[in-house]
Amino acid sequence: MEYIIRGGIVYDPLNGINGEKMDIAVKGGKIVESVSSGAKVIDASGMIVLPGGVDLHSHIAGSKVNAGRIMRPEDHYRDVVVKAGLTRSGVGYSIPSVFTTGYRYAEMGYTTVFEPATTPLKTRHTHDELADIPIIDKGCFPLFGNNWFVMEYLSRGEIDEAAAYVAWTLEATKGYAIKVVNPGGGERWGWGGSIKSIDDPVPHFNITPREIVRGLCQINKMLNLPHPIHVHPNGLGKPGSYETTIETMDCVRDFSDGRPAIHLTHIQFEGYTGTNWLNIGSGGDEIAKYVNGNPHVSVDLGQIVFSDTTTMTADAPFEYQLYLITGNKWTNADVEAEETAGVVPYVYRRSNYVNAVQWAVGLEVALLAKDPWRVFLTTDHPNAGVFTEYPRVISWLMSKKAREKVLSKVPRNARRRTMIAGIDREYTLSEIAILTRAGTAKILGLKNKGHLGEGADGDIAVYSLNPERIDPSTDYRIVRRAFRHAKYVLKDGELVVNDEKVVRVVEGRTYWVKPKVPKDLYESVISDLRSKFDNYYTVKMSNYFISEDYIGRSAPIYTGGD
């Protein structure tokens, strides 16, 4: 199939194109220089043309997501999706069913999404759900921050063996990147304690969070993985957390080679000053200063949106504290020898002082950051808000007037403890394209995504937004409406959204990595693992490995380790 998208206003930051009127040609699923006269024409005149959106952090699949769906029927009552010919029925709101997830991302112009936290033992379930999410490409990040094997190897100084174990686990689970959540904190919580510093010991393992983060960062480089370690630090959601966050970023500063070595995720949740809930304030300024001065760090926002949602994380201690604060429904799980997890419903309210501070933190980091290639748009879906509210966040980033409207409705003492009212910066469309496409594809190491250059995947979004006729600073409602529903979306060169509706359902890829390690080391570690599986797990090692043909449209990335 050939298409030519004619006369659109193109934003393609990776190729230095900033609002130029031009044609984009697609053939055989890829962007090409030209197409034949028989190509189908999409008239994009008066509209903007961007690469398909790439989301690096959205909880869309897996056992904790499904637990949230089960425990919150009230979440779905107001958002029922009826079968409509091509598309299947489903439900939302904060935890959409799998098919609805794919349709809604595609209708927003997103074509690639990563599930950022899957316990290795339960990743088969994650792949079952990813396979059912239509249209978009996807992948998942296995958790390693409380993994017994990792902590044992690292505490003994066996970094090569730890790297071989991580390589085996990534291949066994068909995972894409190393995820770290509250390193050592889940394990310590299991013994009735909590981690208050990155130098606190983890019981029975003779190791600290600092050593876990440093060890996994070193392993990430040894395996030459495409994405930096993806870290949810200790102390998330607590007053004063910004200091632990900066300590965590700084503990791997010596791994800097000019590129990010660590990605701090949903930074809003880790950016608070103060010593208690009464004097909590924004540490967004301090976080942004550190990120600006240290190229080894990238972050995503985890931006708060005032709404009813469902929180879910592998940080079980955090979810237990949230349950104690709210008294809402709660579920927690401990996965043998690996990780913990929890789910708690939550409502973010403009009238709530703490929630208003949280809203300001994410925006402050984004607006004070000097390098948009290391700061990315997320809501940590669904933790801080549902992904369908990305257009609202875009309008806040592009319009001070839109931010002032929210500020006028939040508690006065929250305004005093944040800097947001004094920030004039407004993002450009090119910067939005970086935050949502070009930058996220680059940090994920996806060379064929996030741009419209020749050879790139034919993932393209066209929005009914004419920057020659509107000013995003004042017309922020028009911006929000435009990004909520793409006019046209092409996925791998196929028209999947036409006039804001899904018109074709295709199967997306599942990305995973297969790192290379020395054969003798790999076999030695596997031999060691067999005995540990017999001692620690209730499943056999042979049932743990997920075969490539299990995950549908497999897209392995081979990496060269030492």
Side-chain angles (χ1 to χ4, degrees), residues 422-434:
I423 300 175
D424 295 327
R425 182 180 178 186
E426 295 176 329
Y427 269 69
T428 65
L429 279 170
S430 183
E431 289 174 323
I432 292 298
I434 296 171

Side-chain angles (χ1 to χ4, degrees), residues 495-515:
L495 184 66
V496 295
V497 172
N498 186 4
D499 201 15
E500 304 181 0
K501 299 294 181 186
V502 171
V503 295
R504 184 178 175 86
V505 175
V506 297
E507 182 184 13
R509 303 174 184 83
T510 296
Y511 289 105
W512 58 282
V513 295
K514 181 176 172 54

Side-chain angles (χ1 to χ4, degrees), residues 46-222:
M47 304 182 199
I48 60 171
V49 180
L50 277 66
V54 178
D55 192 344
L56 86 166
H57 191 107
S58 179
H59 297 283
I60 55 173
S63 57
K64 67 180 182 306
V65 178
N66 211 39
R69 293 190 187 108
I70 293 168
M71 73 185 286
R72 293 213 66 202
E74 72 277 11
D75 186 65
H76 312 314
Y77 294 156
R78 58 176 170 161
D79 192 2
V80 176
V81 180
V82 178
K83 178 175 170 51
L86 181 72
T87 56
R88 298 175 59 155
S89 59
V91 293
Y93 163 73
S94 66
I95 328 153
S97 51
V98 287
F99 292 99
T100 301
T101 296
Y103 303 147
R104 289 185 173 175
Y105 260 114
E107 287 175 348
M108 280 177 38
Y110 274 73
T111 51
T112 306
V113 182
F114 279 77
E115 160 56 54
T118 179
T119 305
L121 181 59
K122 296 191 174 184
T123 301
R124 190 178 294 275
H125 181 163
T126 303
H127 282 297
D128 284 340
E129 294 197 357
L130 290 177
D132 269 351
I133 296 176
I135 302 175
I136 58 175
D137 292 339
K138 49 256 173 179
C140 60
F141 302 165
L143 293 149
F144 290 99
N146 289 275
N147 185 291
W148 287 12
F149 307 144
V150 167
M151 292 192 290
E152 283 185 352
Y153 283 129
L154 291 180
S155 67
R156 295 198 297 257
E158 297 173 351
I159 190 72
D160 290 335
E161 287 77 4
Y165 168 74
V166 170
W168 177 82
T169 305
L170 287 169
E171 182 182 359
T173 63
K174 302 298 177 283
Y176 189 80
I178 294 174
K179 179 66 183 296
V180 183
V181 171
N182 191 4
E187 182 63 25
R188 182 155 176 162
W189 186 67
W191 294 94
S194 64
I195 292 286
K196 294 183 172 61
S197 156
I198 68 170
D199 294 313
D200 284 353
V202 180
H204 309 295
F205 286 95
N206 190 31
I207 196 167
T208 66
R210 180 190 298 272
E211 292 167 330
I212 294 170
V213 172
R214 284 186 58 79
L216 288 171
C217 190
Q218 184 176 352
I219 289 168
N220 204 79
K221 288 192 171 292
M222 292 167 66

Side-chain angles (χ1 to χ4, degrees), residues 232-305:
H232 156 147
N234 306 107
L236 176 140
K238 296 178 181 176
S241 57
Y242 85 98
E243 293 180 314
T244 305
T245 301
I246 290 176
E247 267 190 292
T248 303
M249 293 189 285
D250 202 56
C251 84
V252 295
R253 183 155 48 93
D254 55 320
F255 288 108
S256 176
D257 59 1
R259 298 174 300 169
I262 185 170
H263 178 84
L264 266 289
T265 189
H266 40 65
I267 197 74
Q268 169 277 133
F269 282 116
E270 299 109 55
Y272 311 145
T273 61
T275 56
N276 57 59
W277 295 113
L278 295 177
N279 64 14
I280 190 172
S282 171
D285 179 35
E286 297 298 327
I287 297 282
K289 283 179 184 173
Y290 188 88
V291 173
N292 287 338
N294 291 277
H296 73 283
V297 176
S298 64
V299 302
D300 66 84
L301 301 183
Q303 177 60 39
I304 290 287
V305 178

Side-chain angles (χ1 to χ4, degrees), residues 339-470:
E339 291 286 346
T340 59
V343 180
V344 176
Y346 191 78
V347 180
Y348 295 100
R349 304 180 191 280
R350 276 191 304 232
S351 59
N352 181 296
Y353 163 71
V354 173
N355 295 164
V357 170
Q358 292 179 301
W359 173 81
V361 173
L363 292 174
E364 285 182 4
V365 172
L367 294 165
L368 295 172
K370 295 178 180 176
D371 182 1
W373 292 94
R374 291 189 291 118
V375 179
F376 312 116
L377 190 160
T378 66
T379 58
D380 185 19
H381 165 82
N383 285 300
V386 298
F387 67 81
T388 50
E389 291 293 351
Y390 286 179
R392 188 178 300 279
V393 181
I394 290 172
S395 70
W396 289 334
L397 291 170
M398 298 190 75
S399 169
K400 184 178 182 182
K401 186 176 179 181
R403 300 194 293 269
E404 288 175 339
K405 185 181 177 187
V406 177
L407 271 172
S408 68
K409 298 177 181 178
V410 305
R412 188 174 302 172
N413 55 349
R415 279 178 259 164
R416 284 198 296 265
R417 292 188 179 278
T418 68
M419 297 177 59
I420 190 73
I423 300 175
D424 295 327
R425 182 180 178 186
E426 295 176 329
Y427 269 69
T428 65
L429 279 170
S430 183
E431 289 174 323
I432 292 298
I434 296 171
L435 261 65
T436 58
R437 293 150 162 84
T440 44
K442 186 177 179 182
I443 199 69
L444 286 165
L446 297 173
K447 296 178 181 177
N448 293 332
K449 301 289 186 186
H451 71 98
L452 300 173
E454 192 173 348
D457 289 346
D459 296 356
I460 306 166
V462 181
Y463 297 95
S464 298
L465 187 66
N466 188 342
E468 296 174 346
R469 294 189 176 182
I470 66 111

